Amino acid sequence: MKINADLHLHSKYSMACSDRMELPTIAIEAAKKGIDLVATGDCIHPDWLGEIKGIAIDDETIRIGNTDFILTTEIEDKFRVHHLLILPSISKAEELAANMEKHGDIKTDGRPTVRLDGCEIAEVAKDIGALIGPCHAFTPWTSMYAAHDSLQNCYGDMTGYISFVELGLSADSDSADRISELHRLTFLTNSDAHSPMVNKLAREFTQLEVPEINFEGIEKAILRKGGYGPTLNVGFYPQEGKYNESACIKCFTHYSMQESMRLNWKCSKCRGRIKKGVKDRINELADLSEPLHPDHRPPYVHLAPLSEVIMMALGHSSINTKGVQTAWNSLVERFGSEIKVLLDVPTENMDFVDRKIVNAILSFRNEELIIHPGGGGKYGWLELPENRDHHPILSETGCAVKKDKQRSLFEF
């Protein structure tokens, strides 16, 4: 069976997270988005684990309504690299918590920092039967490729046990597959949501072919065993990520790699720090000039949250306006989920909402959008062309590029 899975998010016990990141709320909002399986996040935080146990059906099954959960946690190592662990059961989460408590404070923050390196964390993951891989692998602050130049350098003797890499918002399959050492790994696209808002939860997700919705099924899909595996990666245009291009972290002025080096990574306008962007970091790491996708790599579908598409179409300044909320609710209630609205429902069936919204959805499906890249900690943004039929997407060089129509999510 094919399922949509968001395998990385956080609870209300993580720093800078919404108090609404509670299991019942996450379950309701995930269903509206069209997500079948969602991460618990933060599963070794004692209070959050207690809430998980209170809802769990048994040691391995956590379900609310039609939404299934899988136990996950993000751990920061001593080099500030973030690792995603996917666990088989509550008892294994308790075992992991007891181990990590020896090396750091697991009670203050749902995403704990421990005095271990990537290799040592991977050893613990293997001992309890958990899957492990680097989170948002290219982001310039807390990622594998911010601290290391290779998987081997990060995970040492445990490199062979690493089964996946999370791309993050500023990278997609085309960019990551320019790095040969990643070809054997499954790519995961996850939201890393800190809020259940409709433009955060499941803003990126992975479609998987699984035998059943449980840890064993996810393990077979990530390890690509028995004919199972990922069938789609769905996420942002990389340019939308807030660290896509090198830019000042104070005034957000963008710089080329050459300019940044010439300025010694100091902004010429405000003297703030220029943070190296994902695009430039991948160019440093890449051993291929063009992406070479292995046979197991699924298509990557670029997705914008429906609320943001509606906001752009109506010319509103927020997704929380009455007009945006009314249109979003109408579409999702009529057709069942946001994913179906964005990619599957015939636009002639949407005649009950403003025609500008329908045109915006068509612009998205045809990839007729203008992309303004992010950088320095400020998200990029999409702009709808004034005339959808005559304004193709703009490439990073400013040239017009008309892409093939994006197919239905369920046709891949």
Side-chain angles (χ1 to χ4, degrees):
M1 75 180 82
K2 282 187 174 66
I3 64 167
N4 299 321
D6 182 357
L7 299 176
H8 180 191
L9 48 73
H10 291 280
S11 73
K12 61 185 179 182
Y13 293 103
S14 276
M15 294 177 64
C17 282
S18 167
D19 289 340
R20 295 181 61 232
M21 287 300 275
E22 300 180 306
L23 292 171
T25 302
I26 294 169
I28 291 169
E29 298 304 321
K32 292 177 184 177
K33 297 284 285 193
I35 299 298
D36 306 292
L37 178 68
V38 66
T40 63
D42 304 347
C43 72
I44 64 172
H45 187 280
D47 292 338
W48 186 238
L49 184 56
E51 293 190 25
I52 292 170
K53 292 167 69 174
I55 287 174
I57 296 170
D58 56 42
D59 189 42
E60 300 178 2
T61 310
I62 307 159
R63 183 182 302 116
I64 301 176
N66 294 323
T67 303
D68 283 277
F69 288 85
I70 190 165
L71 290 150
T72 69
T73 188
E74 181 180 17
I75 296 175
E76 181 178 302
D77 72 20
K78 65 182 182 180
F79 298 113
R80 298 203 67 204
V81 177
H82 288 192
H83 308 269
L84 176 64
L85 282 74
I86 304 173
L87 286 75
S89 64
I90 291 173
S91 57
K92 293 297 183 181
E94 292 174 328
E95 189 176 334
L96 177 63
N99 190 304
M100 291 297 110
E101 195 170 25
K102 302 173 185 176
H103 308 286
D105 179 7
I106 66 169
K107 298 177 182 178
T108 302
D109 188 1
R111 182 188 59 207
T113 300
V114 297
R115 298 178 298 275
L116 299 172
D117 61 24
C119 180
E120 292 168 321
I121 294 173
E123 287 174 344
V124 176
K126 184 177 181 180
D127 287 344
I128 64 171
L131 300 169
I132 183 173
C135 300
H136 39 72
F138 304 98
T139 189
W141 291 107
T142 52
S143 75
M144 177 178 72
Y145 284 127
H148 305 284
D149 289 331
S150 69
L151 277 167
Q152 179 70 37
N153 189 250
C154 181
Y155 291 107
D157 293 341
M158 293 301 297
T159 300
Y161 186 71
I162 306 306
S163 56
F164 65 83
V165 58
E166 182 184 73
L167 297 179
L169 303 186
S170 291
D172 61 8
S173 297
D174 280 347
S175 51
D177 268 336
R178 290 181 55 211
I179 303 171
S180 296
E181 70 169 356
L182 300 181
H183 287 178
R184 73 170 182 84
L185 299 176
T186 292
F187 287 171
L188 294 183
T189 33
N190 302 316
S191 71
D192 195 3
H194 290 205
S195 162
M197 290 182 66
V198 295
N199 66 332
K200 301 300 182 185
L201 185 65
R203 58 188 170 178
E204 296 202 345
F205 65 90
T206 309
Q207 186 185 81
L208 302 164
E209 180 73 35
V210 298
E212 51 192 344
I213 304 179
N214 55 22
F215 176 81
E216 288 74 20
I218 296 302
E219 183 179 43
K220 286 181 179 178
I222 289 177
L223 298 179
R224 306 187 303 278
K225 291 184 175 180
Y228 300 103
T231 53
L232 276 183
N233 287 111
V234 183
F236 278 30
Y237 290 94
Q239 298 95 323
E240 288 184 85
K242 60 183 178 180
Y243 295 108
N244 180 254
E245 293 191 348
S246 296
C248 175
I249 62 174
K250 289 185 178 180
C251 70
F252 307 114
T253 300
H254 288 224
Y255 294 92
S256 68
M257 183 71 167
Q258 292 73 22
E259 289 173 326
S260 301
M261 295 174 67
R262 178 175 59 81
L263 293 168
N264 197 29
W265 301 93
K266 290 289 185 181
C267 178
S268 61
K269 294 186 177 180
C270 74
R271 303 306 295 165
R273 182 182 180 187
I274 300 171
K275 197 64 178 174
K276 187 183 296 179
V278 169
K279 183 176 70 172
D280 287 330
R281 181 58 174 148
I282 287 176
N283 283 335
E284 284 184 321
L285 295 164
D287 55 339
L288 299 169
S289 58
E290 298 292 333
L292 178 62
H293 300 302
D295 291 341
H296 66 81
R297 188 75 69 227
Y300 192 108
V301 173
H302 295 105
L303 180 73
L306 178 61
S307 59
E308 295 184 2
V309 174
I310 296 170
M311 179 186 71
M312 288 187 289
L314 298 180
H316 291 194
S317 59
S318 168
I319 65 166
N320 296 316
T321 66
K322 183 177 180 180
V324 174
Q325 291 290 309
T326 298
W328 189 90
N329 285 321
S330 296
L331 287 164
V332 171
E333 288 172 7
R334 175 73 66 89
F335 300 116
S337 75
E338 176 173 310
I339 293 170
K340 290 181 180 179
V341 173
L342 282 170
L343 291 173
D344 286 296
V345 176
T347 52
E348 56 267 26
N349 294 352
M350 303 181 192
D351 56 3
F352 57 93
V353 296
D354 193 314
R355 182 65 198 179
K356 288 183 289 187
I357 296 172
V358 179
N359 285 344
I361 292 172
L362 281 171
S363 290
F364 166 72
R365 290 183 181 181
N366 293 330
E367 296 199 348
E368 295 172 349
L369 301 166
I370 299 167
I371 307 177
H372 301 267
K378 184 178 182 179
Y379 284 106
W381 54 286
L382 301 176
E383 183 181 359
L384 294 168
E386 292 181 3
N387 185 332
R388 184 179 54 78
D389 295 327
H390 297 92
H391 288 72
I393 193 171
L394 298 184
S395 74
E396 293 175 14
T397 61
C399 299
V401 180
K402 180 69 173 68
K403 294 192 176 184
D404 293 335
K405 181 178 179 181
Q406 189 156 276
R407 291 179 290 167
S408 162
L409 180 67
F410 301 103
E411 287 178 4
F412 288 103

